[in-house]
Coordinates of all heavy atoms in Angstrom, one line a residue:
M1 N -3.4 -5.1 3.3 CA -2.7 -3.8 3.6 C -1.1 -4.0 3.5 O -0.4 -3.1 3.1 CB -3.0 -3.5 5.1 CG -2.7 -2.0 5.4 SD -3.3 -1.5 7.0 CE -5.0 -1.2 6.7
V2 N -0.7 -5.3 3.8 CA 0.7 -5.6 3.7 C 1.1 -5.5 2.1 O 2.1 -5.0 1.8 CB 1.1 -7.0 4.3 CG1 2.5 -7.4 4.0 CG2 0.8 -6.9 5.8
L3 N 0.2 -6.1 1.3 CA 0.5 -6.1 -0.1 C 0.6 -4.7 -0.7 O 1.4 -4.4 -1.5 CB -0.6 -6.9 -0.8 CG -0.4 -7.2 -2.3 CD1 0.9 -7.9 -2.6 CD2 -1.6 -7.9 -2.9
F4 N -0.4 -3.9 -0.3 CA -0.4 -2.5 -0.7 C 0.8 -1.7 -0.3 O 1.4 -1.0 -1.1 CB -1.7 -1.7 -0.3 CG -1.8 -0.3 -0.7 CD1 -1.9 -0.1 -2.1 CD2 -1.8 0.7 0.1 CE1 -2.1 1.2 -2.6 CE2 -1.9 2.0 -0.4 CZ -2.1 2.2 -1.7
G5 N 1.3 -2.0 0.9 CA 2.5 -1.4 1.4 C 3.7 -1.9 0.6 O 4.7 -1.1 0.3
L6 N 3.7 -3.1 0.3 CA 4.8 -3.7 -0.6 C 4.9 -3.0 -1.9 O 5.9 -2.7 -2.5 CB 4.7 -5.2 -0.7 CG 5.8 -5.9 -1.4 CD1 7.1 -5.7 -0.7 CD2 5.5 -7.3 -1.5
V7 N 3.7 -2.8 -2.6 CA 3.6 -2.1 -3.8 C 4.1 -0.7 -3.7 O 4.8 -0.2 -4.6 CB 2.2 -2.1 -4.3 CG1 2.0 -1.2 -5.6 CG2 1.7 -3.6 -4.7
L8 N 3.8 0.0 -2.7 CA 4.3 1.4 -2.5 C 5.8 1.4 -2.3 O 6.5 2.3 -2.9 CB 3.6 2.1 -1.3 CG 2.2 2.5 -1.5 CD1 1.7 3.1 -0.2 CD2 2.1 3.5 -2.6
V9 N 6.4 0.4 -1.6 CA 7.8 0.4 -1.4 C 8.5 0.2 -2.8 O 9.5 0.8 -3.1 CB 8.2 -0.7 -0.4 CG1 9.7 -1.0 -0.4 CG2 7.8 -0.3 1.0
L10 N 8.0 -0.8 -3.6 CA 8.5 -1.1 -4.8 C 8.4 0.1 -5.8 O 9.4 0.4 -6.5 CB 7.8 -2.3 -5.4 CG 8.2 -3.7 -4.7 CD1 7.3 -4.8 -5.4 CD2 9.6 -4.0 -4.8
L11 N 7.3 0.8 -5.7 CA 7.2 2.0 -6.6 C 8.2 3.1 -6.2 O 8.8 3.7 -7.0 CB 5.8 2.6 -6.5 CG 5.4 3.7 -7.3 CD1 5.5 3.5 -8.8 CD2 4.0 4.3 -7.0
G12 N 8.3 3.3 -4.9 CA 9.3 4.2 -4.4 C 10.8 3.9 -4.8 O 11.5 4.8 -5.2
V13 N 11.1 2.6 -4.7 CA 12.4 2.2 -5.0 C 12.6 2.4 -6.6 O 13.7 2.8 -7.0 CB 12.6 0.7 -4.6 CG1 13.9 0.1 -5.2 CG2 12.7 0.7 -3.1
C14 N 11.6 2.1 -7.4 CA 11.8 2.3 -8.8 C 12.0 3.7 -9.2 O 12.8 4.0 -10.0 CB 10.5 1.7 -9.5 SG 10.4 -0.1 -9.6
I15 N 11.3 4.6 -8.5 CA 11.4 6.1 -8.8 C 12.8 6.5 -8.4 O 13.5 7.3 -9.0 CB 10.4 6.9 -8.1 CG1 9.0 6.6 -8.7 CG2 10.6 8.3 -8.1 CD1 7.8 7.3 -7.9
L16 N 13.3 6.0 -7.2 CA 14.6 6.3 -6.7 C 15.7 5.8 -7.6 O 16.6 6.6 -7.9 CB 14.8 5.7 -5.3 CG 16.0 6.1 -4.6 CD1 16.1 7.5 -4.2 CD2 16.2 5.2 -3.3
L17 N 15.6 4.6 -8.1 CA 16.6 4.1 -9.0 C 16.5 4.7 -10.3 O 17.6 5.0 -10.9 CB 16.4 2.6 -9.2 CG 16.7 1.7 -7.9 CD1 16.4 0.2 -8.2 CD2 18.1 1.9 -7.5
A18 N 15.4 5.1 -10.8 CA 15.2 5.9 -12.1 C 15.9 7.2 -12.0 O 16.6 7.7 -12.9 CB 13.8 6.0 -12.5
G19 N 15.7 7.9 -10.8 CA 16.4 9.2 -10.6 C 17.9 9.1 -10.5 O 18.6 10.0 -10.9
L20 N 18.3 8.0 -9.9 CA 19.8 7.9 -9.6 C 20.5 7.4 -10.9 O 21.5 8.0 -11.3 CB 20.1 6.8 -8.6 CG 19.9 7.2 -7.2 CD1 20.1 6.0 -6.3 CD2 20.8 8.3 -6.7
F21 N 20.0 6.4 -11.6 CA 20.7 5.9 -12.7 C 20.2 6.4 -14.1 O 21.0 6.2 -15.1 CB 20.6 4.3 -12.7 CG 21.3 3.7 -11.5 CD1 20.5 3.0 -10.6 CD2 22.6 3.8 -11.3 CE1 21.1 2.4 -9.5 CE2 23.2 3.2 -10.2 CZ 22.4 2.6 -9.3
G22 N 19.2 7.1 -14.2 CA 18.7 7.6 -15.4 C 19.0 9.1 -15.7 O 18.7 9.6 -16.7
S23 N 19.6 9.7 -14.7 CA 19.9 11.1 -14.9 C 21.4 11.3 -15.2 O 22.3 10.6 -14.7 CB 19.5 11.9 -13.6 OG 20.3 11.5 -12.5
G24 N 21.7 12.4 -15.9 CA 23.0 12.8 -16.1 C 23.1 14.3 -16.4 O 22.2 15.0 -16.3
Y25 N 24.3 14.8 -16.5 CA 24.6 16.2 -16.6 C 24.9 16.5 -18.2 O 25.8 15.9 -18.7 CB 25.7 16.6 -15.8 CG 25.9 18.1 -15.8 CD1 25.0 19.0 -15.2 CD2 27.0 18.7 -16.5 CE1 25.2 20.4 -15.2 CE2 27.3 20.0 -16.5 CZ 26.4 20.9 -15.9 OH 26.6 22.2 -15.9
D26 N 24.1 17.4 -18.7 CA 24.4 17.8 -20.1 C 25.4 19.0 -20.1 O 25.1 20.1 -19.6 CB 23.1 18.2 -20.7 CG 23.2 18.6 -22.2 OD1 24.2 18.3 -22.8 OD2 22.3 19.2 -22.7
S27 N 26.6 18.7 -20.5 CA 27.6 19.7 -20.5 C 27.3 20.9 -21.5 O 27.8 22.0 -21.2 CB 29.0 19.1 -20.7 OG 29.0 18.5 -22.0
E28 N 26.6 20.6 -22.6 CA 26.4 21.7 -23.5 C 25.3 22.6 -23.0 O 25.5 23.8 -23.1 CB 25.9 21.0 -24.9 CG 27.0 20.3 -25.5 CD 26.5 19.5 -26.8 OE1 25.3 19.8 -27.2 OE2 27.2 18.7 -27.3
G29 N 24.2 22.1 -22.6 CA 23.1 22.9 -22.1 C 23.3 23.3 -20.6 O 22.6 24.3 -20.1
G30 N 24.2 22.6 -19.9 CA 24.3 22.9 -18.5 C 23.2 22.6 -17.6 O 22.9 23.3 -16.6
S31 N 22.4 21.6 -18.0 CA 21.3 21.2 -17.2 C 21.3 19.6 -16.9 O 22.0 18.9 -17.6 CB 20.0 21.6 -17.8 OG 19.8 20.9 -19.0
L32 N 20.4 19.2 -16.0 CA 20.3 17.7 -15.8 C 19.3 17.2 -16.8 O 18.3 17.8 -17.2 CB 19.8 17.5 -14.3 CG 20.6 17.9 -13.2 CD1 19.9 17.7 -11.9 CD2 21.8 17.0 -13.2
T33 N 19.7 16.0 -17.3 CA 18.8 15.3 -18.2 C 18.4 14.0 -17.6 O 19.1 13.4 -16.8 CB 19.4 15.0 -19.6 OG1 20.6 14.2 -19.4 CG2 19.8 16.3 -20.2
N34 N 17.3 13.5 -17.9 CA 16.8 12.2 -17.5 C 16.7 11.4 -18.8 O 15.9 11.6 -19.6 CB 15.5 12.3 -16.8 CG 15.1 10.9 -16.1 OD1 15.5 9.9 -16.5 ND2 14.4 11.1 -15.0
E35 N 17.6 10.3 -18.9 CA 17.7 9.5 -20.1 C 16.5 8.6 -20.2 O 16.2 8.1 -21.3 CB 19.0 8.8 -20.1 CG 20.1 9.7 -20.2 CD 21.5 9.0 -20.1 OE1 21.5 7.7 -20.0 OE2 22.5 9.6 -20.0
L36 N 15.8 8.3 -19.1 CA 14.7 7.3 -19.3 C 13.5 7.9 -20.1 O 12.9 7.3 -20.9 CB 14.2 6.9 -17.9 CG 15.2 6.1 -17.1 CD1 14.6 5.8 -15.7 CD2 15.5 4.7 -17.8
I37 N 13.2 9.1 -19.7 CA 12.1 9.8 -20.5 C 12.6 10.9 -21.4 O 11.8 11.6 -22.1 CB 11.0 10.3 -19.5 CG1 11.6 11.2 -18.5 CG2 10.3 9.2 -18.8 CD1 10.6 11.9 -17.5
N38 N 13.9 11.1 -21.5 CA 14.6 12.0 -22.4 C 14.0 13.5 -22.3 O 13.6 14.1 -23.2 CB 14.4 11.5 -23.8 CG 15.6 11.7 -24.6 OD1 16.7 12.0 -24.1 ND2 15.5 11.4 -25.9
V39 N 14.0 14.0 -21.0 CA 13.5 15.3 -20.7 C 14.5 16.0 -19.9 O 15.2 15.5 -19.1 CB 12.2 15.2 -19.9 CG1 11.7 16.5 -19.5 CG2 11.1 14.4 -20.7
N40 N 14.8 17.3 -20.3 CA 15.6 18.1 -19.5 C 14.9 18.6 -18.3 O 13.7 19.1 -18.4 CB 16.1 19.3 -20.3 CG 17.1 18.9 -21.4 OD1 17.7 17.9 -21.3 ND2 17.2 19.8 -22.4
M41 N 15.5 18.5 -17.2 CA 14.7 19.0 -15.9 C 15.7 19.6 -15.0 O 16.9 19.3 -14.9 CB 14.1 17.8 -15.2 CG 15.0 16.7 -14.8 SD 14.2 15.3 -14.0 CE 13.3 14.6 -15.3
P42 N 15.3 20.6 -14.2 CA 16.1 21.2 -13.2 C 16.4 20.3 -12.1 O 15.7 19.3 -11.9 CB 15.3 22.5 -12.8 CG 14.0 22.2 -13.2 CD 14.0 21.3 -14.3
A43 N 17.4 20.7 -11.2 CA 17.8 19.9 -10.2 C 16.7 19.8 -9.1 O 16.6 18.8 -8.4 CB 19.1 20.4 -9.5
E44 N 15.9 20.8 -9.0 CA 14.7 20.8 -8.0 C 13.8 19.7 -8.3 O 13.2 19.1 -7.4 CB 14.0 22.2 -8.0 CG 14.9 23.3 -7.5 CD 15.7 24.0 -8.6 OE1 15.6 23.6 -9.8 OE2 16.5 24.8 -8.3
V45 N 13.5 19.4 -9.6 CA 12.6 18.4 -10.0 C 13.1 17.1 -9.5 O 12.4 16.2 -9.0 CB 12.2 18.4 -11.4 CG1 11.4 17.3 -11.8 CG2 11.5 19.8 -11.8
L46 N 14.4 16.9 -9.8 CA 15.0 15.6 -9.4 C 15.0 15.4 -7.9 O 14.8 14.3 -7.4 CB 16.5 15.6 -10.0 CG 17.2 14.2 -9.9 CD1 16.4 13.2 -10.7 CD2 18.6 14.3 -10.5
F47 N 15.2 16.5 -7.2 CA 15.1 16.5 -5.8 C 13.7 16.1 -5.3 O 13.5 15.3 -4.4 CB 15.5 17.9 -5.1 CG 15.3 18.0 -3.7 CD1 16.1 17.3 -2.8 CD2 14.1 18.7 -3.2 CE1 15.8 17.4 -1.4 CE2 13.9 18.8 -1.8 CZ 14.7 18.2 -1.0
L48 N 12.7 16.6 -5.9 CA 11.3 16.4 -5.5 C 11.0 14.8 -5.9 O 10.2 14.2 -5.2 CB 10.4 17.2 -6.3 CG 10.4 18.7 -5.8 CD1 9.4 19.5 -6.6 CD2 10.0 18.8 -4.3
F49 N 11.6 14.3 -7.0 CA 11.4 12.9 -7.2 C 12.0 12.1 -6.0 O 11.4 11.1 -5.6 CB 12.0 12.5 -8.5 CG 11.3 12.8 -9.8 CD1 11.9 13.1 -10.9 CD2 9.9 12.7 -9.7 CE1 11.1 13.3 -12.1 CE2 9.2 13.0 -10.8 CZ 9.8 13.3 -12.0
G50 N 13.2 12.5 -5.5 CA 13.8 11.8 -4.4 C 12.9 11.9 -3.1 O 12.8 10.9 -2.5
V51 N 12.3 13.1 -2.9 CA 11.5 13.2 -1.8 C 10.2 12.4 -1.8 O 9.8 11.7 -1.0 CB 11.1 14.7 -1.6 CG1 10.0 14.9 -0.5 CG2 12.4 15.5 -1.1
A52 N 9.6 12.4 -3.1 CA 8.4 11.6 -3.3 C 8.7 10.1 -3.1 O 7.9 9.4 -2.6 CB 7.9 11.8 -4.7
S53 N 9.9 9.6 -3.7 CA 10.2 8.2 -3.5 C 10.4 7.9 -2.0 O 10.0 6.8 -1.6 CB 11.4 7.8 -4.3 OG 12.6 8.5 -3.9
G54 N 11.0 8.8 -1.3 CA 11.3 8.5 0.2 C 9.9 8.5 0.9 O 9.8 7.6 1.8
V55 N 9.0 9.4 0.6 CA 7.7 9.3 1.2 C 7.0 8.1 0.9 O 6.4 7.4 1.8 CB 6.9 10.6 0.8 CG1 5.5 10.4 1.2 CG2 7.6 11.9 1.4
L56 N 7.0 7.6 -0.4 CA 6.4 6.4 -0.8 C 7.0 5.1 0.0 O 6.2 4.3 0.4 CB 6.5 6.2 -2.3 CG 5.6 7.0 -3.1 CD1 5.8 6.8 -4.6 CD2 4.1 6.7 -2.8
I57 N 8.3 5.1 0.1 CA 8.9 4.0 0.8 C 8.5 4.0 2.3 O 8.2 2.9 2.9 CB 10.4 4.1 0.6 CG1 10.9 3.8 -0.8 CG2 11.2 3.1 1.6 CD1 12.3 4.0 -1.1
L58 N 8.6 5.2 2.9 CA 8.2 5.2 4.3 C 6.7 4.8 4.6 O 6.4 4.1 5.5 CB 8.5 6.6 4.9 CG 10.0 6.9 5.1 CD1 10.1 8.3 5.6 CD2 10.6 5.9 6.2
L59 N 5.9 5.4 3.7 CA 4.4 5.1 3.8 C 4.2 3.5 3.6 O 3.4 3.0 4.3 CB 3.6 5.9 2.8 CG 2.1 5.7 2.8 CD1 1.5 6.1 4.1 CD2 1.4 6.4 1.6
G60 N 4.9 3.0 2.6 CA 4.8 1.5 2.4 C 5.2 0.7 3.6 O 4.6 -0.2 3.9
L61 N 6.3 1.1 4.1 CA 6.8 0.4 5.3 C 5.9 0.4 6.5 O 5.6 -0.5 7.2 CB 8.2 0.9 5.7 CG 9.3 0.5 4.7 CD1 10.7 1.2 5.2 CD2 9.5 -1.0 4.7
W62 N 5.3 1.6 6.7 CA 4.3 1.9 7.8 C 3.1 1.0 7.5 O 2.6 0.5 8.4 CB 4.0 3.4 7.9 CG 3.0 3.7 8.9 CD1 3.3 3.7 10.2 CD2 1.6 3.9 8.7 NE1 2.1 4.1 10.9 CE2 1.1 4.2 10.0 CE3 0.9 4.1 7.6 CZ2 -0.3 4.5 10.2 CZ3 -0.5 4.5 7.8 CH2 -1.0 4.7 9.1
L63 N 2.6 1.0 6.3 CA 1.4 0.2 6.0 C 1.7 -1.3 6.2 O 0.8 -2.1 6.6 CB 0.9 0.4 4.6 CG 0.2 1.7 4.4 CD1 -0.1 2.0 2.9 CD2 -1.1 1.8 5.1
M64 N 2.9 -1.7 5.8 CA 3.3 -3.1 6.0 C 3.3 -3.5 7.5 O 2.8 -4.6 7.9 CB 4.6 -3.4 5.3 CG 4.6 -3.4 3.8 SD 6.2 -3.6 3.0 CE 6.8 -5.1 3.8
K65 N 3.8 -2.6 8.3 CA 3.8 -2.8 9.8 C 2.5 -2.8 10.3 O 2.2 -3.8 11.1 CB 4.7 -1.7 10.4 CG 4.7 -1.7 11.9 CD 5.4 -0.5 12.5 CE 5.2 -0.5 14.0 NZ 5.5 0.8 14.5
L66 N 1.7 -2.0 9.9 CA 0.2 -1.9 10.4 C -0.5 -3.1 10.0 O -1.2 -3.7 10.8 CB -0.5 -0.6 9.8 CG -1.8 -0.2 10.4 CD1 -1.6 0.2 11.9 CD2 -2.4 0.9 9.6
G67 N -0.3 -3.6 8.8 CA -1.0 -4.8 8.3 C -0.5 -6.1 9.0 O -1.3 -7.0 9.4
A68 N 0.8 -6.1 9.4 CA 1.3 -7.2 10.1 C 0.8 -7.3 11.5 O 0.5 -8.3 12.0 CB 2.8 -7.2 10.0
Q69 N 0.7 -6.1 12.1 CA 0.2 -6.1 13.5 C -1.2 -6.5 13.5 O -1.7 -7.2 14.4 CB 0.3 -4.6 14.0 CG 1.7 -4.2 14.5 CD 1.8 -2.8 15.0 OE1 0.9 -2.0 14.7 NE2 2.9 -2.5 15.6
R70 N -2.0 -6.0 12.5 CA -3.4 -6.4 12.5 C -3.6 -7.9 12.3 O -4.4 -8.6 13.0 CB -4.2 -5.6 11.4 CG -5.7 -5.9 11.3 CD -6.3 -5.1 10.4 NE -6.4 -3.8 10.8 CZ -6.8 -2.7 10.1 NH1 -7.2 -3.0 8.9 NH2 -6.8 -1.5 10.5
G71 N -2.8 -8.5 11.5 CA -2.8 -9.9 11.2 C -2.4 -10.7 12.4 O -3.0 -11.7 12.7
W72 N -1.4 -10.2 13.2 CA -1.0 -10.9 14.4 C -2.1 -10.9 15.4 O -2.3 -11.9 16.1 CB 0.3 -10.2 14.9 CG 0.8 -10.8 16.1 CD1 1.5 -12.0 16.2 CD2 0.7 -10.3 17.5 NE1 1.8 -12.3 17.6 CE2 1.4 -11.2 18.3 CE3 0.2 -9.2 18.0 CZ2 1.5 -11.1 19.7 CZ3 0.3 -9.0 19.4 CH2 0.9 -9.9 20.2
K73 N -2.7 -9.7 15.6 CA -3.9 -9.6 16.5 C -5.0 -10.6 16.2 O -5.6 -11.3 17.0 CB -4.4 -8.2 16.6 CG -3.5 -7.3 17.4 CD -4.0 -5.9 17.5 CE -3.1 -5.0 18.2 NZ -3.5 -3.6 18.2
N74 N -5.3 -10.7 14.8 CA -6.4 -11.6 14.4 C -6.0 -13.0 14.6 O -6.8 -13.8 15.1 CB -6.7 -11.3 12.9 CG -7.4 -10.0 12.7 OD1 -8.0 -9.5 13.6 ND2 -7.4 -9.6 11.5
R75 N -4.8 -13.4 14.4 CA -4.4 -14.8 14.7 C -4.4 -15.1 16.2 O -4.8 -16.2 16.5 CB -2.9 -15.0 14.1 CG -3.0 -15.2 12.6 CD -1.5 -15.6 12.1 NE -0.4 -14.7 12.5 CZ -0.1 -13.6 11.7 NH1 -0.8 -13.4 10.6 NH2 0.9 -12.9 12.1
K76 N -4.0 -14.1 17.0 CA -4.0 -14.3 18.4 C -5.5 -14.5 18.9 O -5.8 -15.3 19.7 CB -3.4 -13.1 19.1 CG -3.2 -13.3 20.6 CD -2.5 -12.0 21.2 CE -2.3 -12.2 22.6 NZ -1.6 -11.0 23.2
K77 N -6.4 -13.6 18.3 CA -7.8 -13.7 18.7 C -8.4 -15.1 18.2 O -9.1 -15.8 19.0 CB -8.6 -12.6 18.0 CG -10.0 -12.6 18.5 CD -10.9 -11.6 17.7 CE -10.3 -10.2 17.6 NZ -11.1 -9.3 16.8
D78 N -8.0 -15.5 17.0 CA -8.5 -16.9 16.6 C -8.0 -18.0 17.4 O -8.7 -18.9 17.6 CB -8.1 -17.1 15.1 CG -8.8 -16.2 14.1 OD1 -9.9 -15.7 14.5 OD2 -8.3 -16.0 13.0
R79 N -6.7 -17.9 17.8 CA -6.2 -19.0 18.7 C -6.9 -19.0 20.0 O -7.3 -20.1 20.5 CB -4.7 -18.7 19.0 CG -4.0 -19.8 19.7 CD -2.5 -19.7 19.8 NE -2.1 -18.4 20.1 CZ -1.3 -17.5 19.3 NH1 -0.9 -17.9 18.2 NH2 -1.0 -16.4 19.8
K80 N -7.3 -17.8 20.6 CA -8.0 -17.8 21.8 C -9.4 -18.3 21.7 O -9.9 -19.1 22.6 CB -8.0 -16.3 22.3 CG -8.7 -16.1 23.7 CD -7.9 -16.7 24.8 CE -8.6 -16.4 26.1 NZ -8.0 -17.1 27.2
L81 N -10.1 -18.0 20.6 CA -11.4 -18.5 20.3 C -11.4 -20.0 20.1 O -12.3 -20.7 20.6 CB -12.0 -17.8 19.1 CG -12.4 -16.4 19.2 CD1 -12.9 -15.8 17.9 CD2 -13.6 -16.3 20.3
S82 N -10.3 -20.6 19.5 CA -10.2 -22.0 19.4 C -10.1 -22.7 20.7 O -10.7 -23.7 21.0 CB -9.0 -22.3 18.5 OG -9.3 -21.8 17.1
E83 N -9.3 -22.1 21.6 CA -9.0 -22.6 22.9 C -10.4 -22.6 23.8 O -10.7 -23.6 24.3 CB -8.0 -21.9 23.7 CG -6.7 -22.1 23.2 CD -5.6 -21.1 23.8 OE1 -6.0 -20.3 24.6 OE2 -4.4 -21.2 23.4
L84 N -11.1 -21.6 23.6 CA -12.4 -21.5 24.3 C -13.4 -22.5 23.7 O -14.2 -23.1 24.5 CB -12.9 -20.0 24.3 CG -12.2 -19.0 25.0 CD1 -12.8 -17.6 24.8 CD2 -12.3 -19.3 26.5
Q85 N -13.4 -22.6 22.4 CA -14.4 -23.6 21.8 C -13.9 -25.0 22.3 O -14.9 -25.8 22.5 CB -14.3 -23.5 20.3 CG -15.2 -24.4 19.5 CD -16.7 -24.0 19.8 OE1 -17.0 -22.9 19.9 NE2 -17.5 -25.0 20.0
E86 N -12.7 -25.3 22.4 CA -12.3 -26.7 22.8 C -12.8 -26.9 24.3 O -13.2 -28.0 24.6 CB -10.8 -26.9 22.7 CG -10.3 -27.0 21.3 CD -8.8 -27.0 21.2 OE1 -8.1 -26.9 22.2 OE2 -8.3 -27.0 20.0
E87 N -12.6 -25.8 25.1 CA -13.0 -25.9 26.5 C -14.5 -26.1 26.6 O -15.0 -26.9 27.3 CB -12.6 -24.6 27.2 CG -13.0 -24.6 28.7 CD -12.1 -25.6 29.5 OE1 -11.0 -25.9 29.1 OE2 -12.6 -25.9 30.6
L88 N -15.2 -25.4 25.8 CA -16.7 -25.5 25.8 C -17.2 -26.9 25.3 O -18.0 -27.5 26.0 CB -17.4 -24.4 24.8 CG -18.8 -24.5 24.7 CD1 -19.5 -24.1 26.1 CD2 -19.3 -23.4 23.7
D89 N -16.5 -27.5 24.3 CA -16.8 -28.8 23.8 C -16.5 -29.9 24.9 O -17.3 -30.8 25.1 CB -16.0 -29.1 22.5 CG -16.5 -28.3 21.3 OD1 -17.6 -27.8 21.4 OD2 -15.7 -28.3 20.4
R90 N -15.4 -29.6 25.6 CA -15.1 -30.5 26.7 C -16.1 -30.5 27.9 O -16.5 -31.6 28.3 CB -13.7 -30.2 27.3 CG -13.2 -31.2 28.3 CD -11.9 -30.8 28.9 NE -11.9 -29.5 29.5 CZ -12.4 -29.3 30.7 NH1 -12.9 -30.2 31.4 NH2 -12.4 -28.0 31.2
V91 N -16.5 -29.3 28.2 CA -17.5 -29.2 29.3 C -18.9 -29.8 28.9 O -19.5 -30.5 29.6 CB -17.6 -27.7 29.7 CG1 -18.9 -27.5 30.5 CG2 -16.4 -27.2 30.4
E92 N -19.3 -29.5 27.6 CA -20.5 -30.0 27.1 C -20.4 -31.6 27.1 O -21.4 -32.3 27.4 CB -20.9 -29.5 25.7 CG -21.3 -28.2 25.8 CD -21.7 -27.6 24.4 OE1 -21.4 -28.3 23.4 OE2 -22.2 -26.5 24.3
A93 N -19.3 -32.2 26.7 CA -19.2 -33.6 26.7 C -19.3 -34.2 28.1 O -19.9 -35.3 28.3 CB -17.8 -34.0 26.1
E94 N -18.7 -33.5 29.1 CA -18.8 -33.9 30.5 C -20.3 -33.9 31.0 O -20.7 -34.8 31.6 CB -17.9 -33.1 31.3 CG -16.4 -33.3 31.3 CD -15.6 -32.4 32.1 OE1 -16.2 -31.6 32.8 OE2 -14.3 -32.5 32.0
R95 N -21.0 -32.8 30.6 CA -22.4 -32.7 31.0 C -23.2 -33.8 30.4 O -24.1 -34.4 31.1 CB -23.0 -31.4 30.6 CG -22.5 -30.3 31.5 CD -23.2 -29.0 31.2 NE -22.7 -27.9 31.9 CZ -23.0 -26.6 31.7 NH1 -23.7 -26.3 30.6 NH2 -22.5 -25.6 32.4
R96 N -22.9 -34.1 29.1 CA -23.7 -35.2 28.5 C -23.4 -36.5 29.2 O -24.3 -37.4 29.3 CB -23.3 -35.3 27.0 CG -24.2 -34.3 26.1 CD -24.0 -34.5 24.7 NE -23.3 -33.3 24.3 CZ -22.1 -33.4 23.6 NH1 -21.6 -34.5 23.3 NH2 -21.6 -32.2 23.2
G97 N -22.2 -36.7 29.6 CA -21.8 -37.9 30.3 C -22.4 -38.0 31.6 O -22.9 -39.1 32.1
D98 N -22.6 -36.9 32.3 CA -23.3 -36.9 33.6 C -24.7 -37.1 33.5 O -25.4 -37.8 34.3 CB -23.1 -35.6 34.3 CG -21.6 -35.4 34.8 OD1 -20.8 -36.3 34.9 OD2 -21.2 -34.2 35.1
D99 N -25.3 -36.6 32.4 CA -26.7 -36.8 32.2 C -27.1 -38.2 31.8 O -28.1 -38.8 32.3 CB -27.3 -35.8 31.1 CG -27.3 -34.4 31.5 OD1 -27.2 -34.1 32.7 OD2 -27.3 -33.5 30.6
D100 N -26.2 -38.9 31.1 CA -26.4 -40.3 30.7 C -26.3 -41.2 31.9 O -27.1 -42.2 32.0 CB -25.4 -40.7 29.7 CG -25.6 -40.1 28.3 OD1 -26.7 -39.5 28.1 OD2 -24.6 -40.1 27.5
Q101 N -25.5 -40.9 32.9 CA -25.4 -41.7 34.1 C -26.5 -41.6 35.0 O -26.8 -42.4 35.8 CB -24.0 -41.4 34.8 CG -22.8 -41.8 34.0 CD -21.5 -41.3 34.7 OE1 -21.6 -40.8 35.8 NE2 -20.4 -41.7 34.0
A102 N -27.1 -40.4 35.0 CA -28.2 -40.2 36.0 C -29.5 -40.8 35.6 O -29.9 -41.6 35.0 CB -28.5 -38.7 36.1

């Protein structure tokens, strides 16, 4: 989940950078152009690219946070299970020691 979130963040950043550095104003036609794909587009489309990249970045950050929390809970649970297993092994060793003495 963390990896998928990171991919979404990178995709959003790439779209944002492409919109920022790949666009320019065509003084002859009076419209915005995108030099990366060489297409004339209105300002609304460029705005929607910005909104989409913002949504992708926020969704990616949220997924990264969710995955990190899940991983932290799993590590905490594994640590608790390890402690319980060590306690059980110790108690069983004591019982075997008592049975051997009797």
Side-chain angles (χ1 to χ4, degrees):
M1 200 175 281
V2 173
L3 185 62
F4 185 62
L6 184 62
V7 168
L8 285 178
V9 168
L10 290 176
L11 181 65
V13 168
C14 287
I15 292 172
L16 185 67
L17 292 176
L20 284 175
F21 297 116
S23 62
Y25 183 72
D26 183 15
S27 59
E28 294 175 8
S31 63
L32 291 173
T33 60
N34 193 330
E35 295 174 5
L36 294 177
I37 54 176
N38 223 8
V39 174
N40 291 337
M41 63 181 64
E44 293 85 10
V45 174
L46 194 58
F47 172 75
L48 290 177
F49 279 148
V51 169
S53 67
V55 167
L56 285 175
I57 290 171
L58 289 176
L59 182 63
L61 290 173
W62 179 73
L63 284 175
M64 288 172 59
K65 176 186 169 194
L66 193 65
Q69 284 178 344
R70 182 175 290 175
W72 181 74
K73 285 180 183 179
N74 286 340
R75 284 189 300 275
K76 188 175 178 182
K77 188 189 312 180
D78 289 344
R79 186 172 49 241
K80 183 68 173 172
L81 286 175
S82 295
E83 290 172 1
L84 290 173
Q85 183 64 40
E86 289 173 2
E87 180 70 22
L88 180 64
D89 290 343
R90 186 184 56 80
V91 168
E92 285 180 354
E94 287 177 1
R95 283 187 185 167
R96 273 187 252 128
D98 290 344
D99 290 341
D100 291 340
Q101 291 176 0

